[in-house]
Amino acid sequence: DLVGLKTTATRIPLTGVVPLCEKFDTIGPLCRTVEDAALMLAALEGGQAADLKGVSAKGLRLAILDTIAPDDVRDAPKAAFDSAIARLKAAGATIEHIEAPEVAEVMPLSPILFTSEASAAAINQVIDRKADAAMTRTDQRPLPQGELSATHASSFAFVIGVVGALVLYLYINTLTMILTIASLIGYAFIYTVYLKRATPQNIVIGGLAGAAPPLLGWAAISNTIDPYALLLVLIIFVWTPPHFWALAIYRKDEYAKESIPMLPVTHGVAFTKLQIVLYTIILFIVSILPYIVLMSGGIYLISAVILSSMFMYYSIRLYFSSDDEIAMKTFNFSIYYIFLIFVALLCDHYLIQ
């Protein structure tokens, strides 16, 4: 399994995999990994020093595995891996720039990205403070309650947004900063100021900004916009409409009172319920794509099938029910869904690896 970078007693030589990359465009991410590894091995075998600064971390791992005997990997994987790294360094390879980051190295990114997301949320609440005061769901927020002034909240949003952007630019990379700022603008201004009151498809279009976090995290580590990252964005993008429309059904009267054109207000509850069912069907298909494209393994597949089936159960139950409480139950489950499906993705990656 070259994508998962697992090694068994039977291994496929890199030279046998590279031709497949030229034949099948659908395994592009795998091809980049294999080609990186093949180039590195060719340089080492030719007695040349290989500067691997531009080579992917997976390409490095694959190349290292190709230098390790299968029995060594099975019996003492860490020792074999460390030994291979030492041999490659001795041969002149510069690999310290691209060693795959561990969880401990990634975790400091979370509060940095959180500052930008918090800035967007604060701007949203400043702009919507009057509507928030009139809705039960939001009337306990600090601005409607008078605990903060709009000036204080705006200053807070500006400071943490700028600090977050500067930290990303100085210590992470420019791409992540640009994507993060684009996400902030998309949610705080394009969605909140315009889309929210312009079209019943507001949550569909605006959901793209809310789906950005996986792309931001991936870009922070790899400095690229990777197709795998976009696939994770797609999962959240498709999940957002049924997640929020379930809440909109429960709160439709409040949205109607504030003239916010949510789908249940403009097209009716029955139509919205049908859309929720259709989107959960699409979500079921999208959720298993990481397995289909060899991004994840069996743990994720089983989890995605179970969670997506449960979401479909709730959506179908909502469709045939006249009880708005079912809408709230569907909304609550959708929160657990998106959390657990990403937990499954992480568990699949780290437990298998």
Side-chain angles (χ1 to χ4, degrees), residues 18-270:
V18 172
L20 294 177
C21 297
E22 300 173 357
K23 186 175 181 180
F24 300 104
D25 294 335
T26 56
I27 55 173
L30 169 59
C31 293
R32 290 198 302 275
T33 294
V34 173
E35 288 167 352
D36 284 346
L39 288 172
M40 188 193 79
L41 286 178
L44 292 177
E45 290 171 358
Q48 304 171 0
D51 183 359
L52 307 181
K53 188 173 182 179
V55 178
S56 68
K58 282 190 175 182
L60 168 66
R61 286 176 174 266
L62 186 57
I64 289 175
L65 290 176
D66 199 68
T67 69
I68 304 174
D71 291 341
D72 292 338
V73 175
R74 184 185 65 242
D75 298 334
K78 186 178 187 306
F81 196 78
D82 291 344
S83 174
I85 291 178
R87 293 200 304 272
L88 290 172
K89 285 184 176 180
T94 305
I95 66 174
E96 60 269 19
H97 300 291
I98 61 165
E99 291 180 3
E102 299 297 333
V103 174
E105 297 171 338
V106 177
M107 288 306 293
L109 288 171
S110 300
I112 297 171
L113 295 175
F114 173 76
T115 59
S116 298
E117 299 297 329
S119 176
I123 295 171
N124 169 273
Q125 292 189 34
V126 170
I127 295 171
D128 269 351
R129 61 189 183 279
K130 291 182 180 179
D132 286 349
M135 300 179 67
T136 304
R137 183 174 71 91
T138 54
D139 62 4
Q140 297 301 307
R141 289 175 174 176
L143 285 169
Q145 287 293 307
E147 297 174 3
L148 289 174
S149 69
T151 301
H152 287 158
S154 300
S155 300
F156 172 75
F158 176 78
V159 170
I160 63 175
V162 170
V163 169
L166 286 175
V167 171
L168 290 174
Y169 176 73
L170 295 173
Y171 297 102
I172 307 301
N173 56 62
T174 304
L175 176 61
T176 306
M177 181 198 70
I178 293 173
L179 292 174
T180 302
I181 292 175
S183 175
L184 186 155
I185 294 173
Y187 177 74
F189 297 104
I190 296 177
Y191 167 73
T192 303
V193 175
Y194 175 68
L195 287 174
K196 188 172 183 178
R197 290 168 174 79
T199 170
Q201 291 297 310
N202 47 19
I203 201 64
V204 177
I205 305 170
L208 184 59
L215 178 61
L216 305 182
W218 201 296
I221 295 300
S222 67
N223 198 23
T224 62
I225 298 178
D226 193 275
Y228 285 166
L230 295 177
L231 180 52
L232 300 182
V233 170
L234 180 62
I235 291 175
I236 302 179
F237 179 73
V238 175
W239 162 85
T240 301
H243 157 72
F244 199 86
W245 283 336
L247 175 65
I249 288 175
Y250 187 77
R251 300 290 187 183
K252 64 182 182 299
D253 293 336
E254 295 184 1
Y255 285 116
K257 180 182 176 182
E258 292 303 312
S259 300
I260 299 176
M262 292 299 174
L263 197 62
V265 176
T266 60
H267 289 68
V269 172

Side-chain angles (χ1 to χ4, degrees), residues 280-323:
T280 53
I281 293 173
I282 296 173
L283 180 61
F284 190 107
I285 298 171
V286 170
S287 69
I288 62 175
L289 288 180
Y291 178 80
I292 293 175
V293 301
L294 306 179
M295 179 182 179
S296 62
I299 293 177
Y300 172 80
L301 176 63
I302 294 172
S303 302
V305 168
I306 293 174
L307 289 169
S308 298
S309 297
M310 292 177 67
F311 202 174
M312 286 183 60
Y313 162 77
Y314 274 98
S315 67
I316 294 172
R317 185 182 174 191
L318 174 62
Y319 181 78
F320 288 104
S321 174
S322 59
D323 185 0

